[in-house]
Amino acid sequence: MKKLIFAAFALLLVASTFFTVQPEAQALALEVDSELIHVLQQVTDQALVEAVVTYDSMPTSDQVNLLQLLGLETKTYSQLPMVAVKGTRLEIYALLNTSIVGALSIYYNKELEYFLRDSRELVGAERVWNDLGYTGRGVTVAVIDSGIDATHPDLPLGEKVVQNVKFLVGEGIFSDGPLYLENVANTDTSSGHGTHVAGTIAGLGTASDGLYKGIAPDAKLVGLGTGEGLNILWALEGFNYVLEHQEEYGIKVISNSWGTTGEYSANNPINVASKAAHDAGMVVVFAAGNEGPDDNTLNPYSAAPWVISVAAGTKDKQLADFSSRGVAGDDLLHPDITAPGVDIVATKSSTGLVMNSLGSVTDATYIAPEHLPYYTTASGTSMATPHISGIVALMLEAKPGLHPDVVLDLLENTADPMEGYAYHEVGAGYVNAYEAVKLAEKTALQLGKYRDKNTGKTYDTYFVENTWTGTVGAGASEAGAASHDYYDILLGSNPVSLQVKIEWLSPTNDLDLYVRDASGALVGSSGNALSTTEETFIPSVTEGTYTVDVEGWLNTIEQYTGTYVMEYILK
């Protein structure tokens, strides 16, 4: 736990070693960082400790004076309801044992890790790089946004940003003149929003010695800069450009950290455009919106079933208050997945006055001074969305040609559950990049068909193949001395069928195959003699754990290879 209530019995015992007065009412209200307690228990009495006291409003001079009377050095903030304090172990204990009106918490001044790096590790992206070897190579992501500053060392034009388009040129969208310019070095001339998004997706991390690499650092980017004045018509121009140049630049993902409010309609022109991109084989990602915490606040462009709707989560895998919610029980109005979206550090546009001013307060707190010229912090589903866009790029490097709907299913089936939240708030849960990419590796490109006998409806399906190896000891079943080796298969949501096969080398060894469902009932078996393979197909399965039993009928010790193919309905 990162937080403790100061009324914890052990802490009171420690404090009572030094002080006889223990104001329990104050202690019950003050939230104390567990790391601060740990530090106080480890250092000597005169060791200096730094912490931060947070108040329910901007601290008054009397509140600051009280801290100083305890012997603490103080530092206030002009925009934050906090006071930094520095004192000895004894002085910090005195603070903990003093009634401080209006104080909400006290936290140790620990060294911070930068949030984009944290979010990469949090979602498992670095594990994808290190263990699976995928970095987004061969995948291009189009970013429809305020533009990209491709003069940034992390986002160089030509090498990283293979095309940078500036819209809003000429006399307007209805004029006969050109609507955009290509190969523009910096198209993010006032906002900075798109540059930040681009860095999260695929920044090289050059200006930070790799510290602030994006999720898919070897992916390419196409910037589609519409400036701050994005409207439907210019957004449509962006989609139109992507569709025209999809093959030229190898565009496989479109990242959209923008939207609106209102009712969802499949006939909305933006939804029609995103459907066209989806049908052309591109994965379209949209921000869920920042209108939370109320229900029915979802960005209607993200509600389309053919796009991926992204909610914003915190570093401790909770849902950000501002993240838009859908409607309970509605088939469309919900996010699909949650990704990090709070205090994300990414690339800073040299001309991004809007983003740079918004991040000025938090930047000095989270970013080392030498990196401040190149990076800034931001929060929102705008910051969560490029995390998913980058993860999709990793998935598509692992298995090029995956259908967009399959990509969404894999993300959902591998998400980490978020306890305490409903589906219409967080979707399937917090994204797990490592598991999603690993599953993408094993997913076949071809789609199947499944007809529901009860409803008569026909659905597309996809197939995931896995292998395992096992060893069966010597056995003779007819003598009551069979040998068994067991393997569990976990079927996710919406499964259709399961095919299981085992293979071994020696035809003199007779192995049999049995498959049981979660209740233990036998649902498939194969027992051929004089064979080195056994295979069974189970045409109707349910979500849950199935157990494979490989039995030695007449055999010496034998190693075998197992293969199973799971078929799932595409939603």
Side-chain angles (χ1 to χ4, degrees):
M1 291 178 58
K2 303 300 287 183
K3 303 175 182 177
L4 294 176
I5 299 301
F6 182 58
F9 181 70
L11 183 57
L12 287 176
L13 286 178
V14 174
S16 66
T17 303
F18 304 98
F19 305 100
T20 57
V21 179
Q22 297 176 6
E24 295 185 9
Q26 163 63 19
L28 287 171
L30 184 64
E31 181 183 285
V32 181
D33 178 24
S34 61
E35 291 203 28
L36 177 59
I37 297 172
H38 177 73
V39 169
L40 292 175
Q41 292 172 342
Q42 300 300 315
V43 299
T44 63
D45 288 350
Q46 296 305 313
L48 293 176
V49 178
E50 296 178 353
V52 179
V53 183
T54 300
Y55 297 82
D56 56 9
S57 59
M58 295 297 290
T60 65
S61 57
D62 288 342
Q63 289 170 318
V64 176
N65 289 338
L66 175 60
L67 298 176
Q68 293 171 347
L69 287 173
L70 294 172
L72 297 165
E73 295 182 48
T74 62
K75 190 268 182 186
T76 59
Y77 299 85
S78 63
Q79 302 297 318
L80 300 173
M82 302 174 188
V83 180
V85 296
K86 179 180 179 180
T88 66
R89 176 178 186 251
L90 293 177
E91 289 166 344
I92 296 295
Y93 268 130
L95 170 61
L96 296 179
N97 204 46
T98 301
S99 179
I100 310 173
V101 176
L104 299 177
S105 65
I106 177 169
Y107 272 66
Y108 173 61
N109 182 31
K110 68 176 182 179
E111 293 185 9
L112 296 176
E113 295 181 350
Y114 299 108
F115 277 92
L116 181 56
R117 181 179 63 180
D118 283 348
S119 62
R120 290 192 322 237
E121 184 177 354
L122 182 64
V123 301
E126 292 185 350
R127 193 178 175 197
V128 172
W129 306 346
N130 298 330
D131 294 354
L132 302 179
Y134 301 117
T135 55
R137 188 174 287 105
V139 179
T140 300
V141 181
V143 182
I144 300 177
D145 213 294
S146 63
I148 297 177
D149 181 359
T151 68
H152 195 290
D154 290 13
L155 302 166
L157 184 65
E159 176 187 349
K160 168 61 62 178
V161 182
V162 293
Q163 181 55 268
N164 212 16
V165 181
K166 179 67 174 177
F167 289 93
L168 298 170
V169 299
E171 299 179 5
I173 204 164
F174 296 105
S175 68
D176 294 330
L179 296 178
Y180 58 81
L181 295 175
E182 295 181 307
N183 298 305
V184 178
N186 183 4
T187 59
D188 200 0
T189 53
S190 58
S191 172
H193 188 274
T195 299
H196 196 279
V197 166
T200 299
I201 297 171
L204 292 172
T206 303
S208 58
D209 294 324
L211 180 65
Y212 294 125
K213 281 184 180 181
I215 296 293
D218 285 330
K220 303 299 184 182
L221 297 168
V222 169
L224 299 164
T226 59
E228 288 185 79
L230 177 66
N231 58 34
I232 288 178
L233 292 179
W234 286 115
L236 292 175
E237 287 294 332
F239 272 104
N240 188 71
Y241 185 94
V242 171
L243 287 165
E244 283 185 345
H245 297 272
Q246 176 186 3
E247 297 300 325
E248 180 180 355
Y249 298 115
I251 300 171
K252 299 176 182 177
V253 188
I254 307 176
S255 192
N256 303 277
S257 289
W258 51 271
T260 187
T261 58
E263 299 295 321
Y264 167 77
S265 170
N267 294 322
N268 184 295
I270 298 297
N271 293 331
V272 172
S274 67
K275 182 64 161 58
H278 164 277
D279 291 351
M282 289 179 279
V283 179
V284 183
V285 187
F286 259 103
N290 298 338
E291 303 300 320
D294 292 339
D295 284 354
N296 199 21
T297 53
L298 198 73
N299 173 13
Y301 302 151
S302 79
W306 47 82
V307 310
I308 300 176
S309 176
V310 186
T314 64
K315 182 182 176 183
D316 58 353
K317 294 193 174 182
Q318 302 299 301
L319 181 64
D321 285 344
F322 59 76
S323 190
S324 290
R325 276 69 162 171
V327 175
D330 193 282
D331 289 339
L332 297 177
L333 298 180
H334 59 80
D336 296 308
I337 198 81
T338 300
V342 177
D343 289 332
I344 302 301
V345 178
T347 41
K348 179 179 186 177
S349 171
S350 60
T351 51
L353 298 179
V354 176
M355 288 283 287
N356 297 351
S357 61
L358 288 174
S360 60
V361 174
T362 53
D363 285 357
T365 303
Y366 295 127
I367 303 173
E370 64 270 24
H371 296 147
L372 286 173
Y374 300 103
Y375 302 95
T376 188
T377 56
S379 298
T381 54
S382 285
M383 282 63 250
T385 299
H387 281 80
I388 297 300
S389 299
I391 291 169
V392 171
L394 298 176
M395 296 171 69
L396 292 178
E397 182 191 0
K399 185 56 67 78
L402 272 181
H403 191 281
D405 294 344
V406 175
V407 170
L408 174 56
D409 258 36
L410 300 184
L411 286 169
E412 291 182 318
N413 283 337
T414 55
D416 295 330
M418 296 174 66
E419 298 296 332
Y421 295 104
Y423 183 75
H424 74 283
E425 297 175 312
V426 299
Y430 215 96
V431 67
N432 186 325
Y434 179 77
E435 293 298 333
V437 174
K438 192 168 66 171
L439 190 57
E441 280 186 309
K442 302 170 182 176
T443 301
L445 295 180
Q446 76 274 14
L447 298 182
K449 292 288 185 182
Y450 167 73
R451 185 176 183 274
D452 191 315
K453 295 179 180 178
N454 296 323
T455 65
K457 292 183 178 180
T458 300
Y459 301 91
D460 287 330
T461 62
Y462 67 96
F463 304 87
V464 177
E465 181 176 308
N466 281 277
T467 61
W468 84 96
T469 58
T471 302
V472 178
S477 292
E478 78 280 9
S483 180
H484 297 266
D485 190 54
Y486 299 97
Y487 183 81
D488 287 340
I489 297 173
L490 178 62
L491 291 176
S493 59
N494 302 308
V496 172
S497 67
L498 174 64
Q499 184 175 7
V500 183
K501 181 180 181 179
I502 58 171
E503 300 176 276
W504 64 98
L505 290 176
S506 175
T508 60
N509 285 329
D510 186 8
L511 306 185
D512 290 343
L513 174 65
Y514 302 92
V515 180
R516 293 178 173 84
D517 64 16
S519 70
L522 183 65
V523 293
S525 63
S526 179
N528 299 313
L530 300 177
S531 172
T532 58
T533 64
E534 299 288 356
E535 186 172 359
T536 183
F537 178 73
I538 307 162
S540 181
V541 292
T542 57
E543 183 176 354
T545 300
Y546 282 62
T547 300
V548 178
D549 176 7
V550 179
E551 179 180 307
W553 179 256
L554 284 172
N555 64 287
T556 58
I557 296 175
E558 181 70 69
Q559 291 186 333
Y560 69 92
T561 299
T563 303
Y564 61 97
V565 179
M566 302 172 289
E567 182 181 13
Y568 291 101
I569 292 175
L570 268 175
K571 292 183 180 178

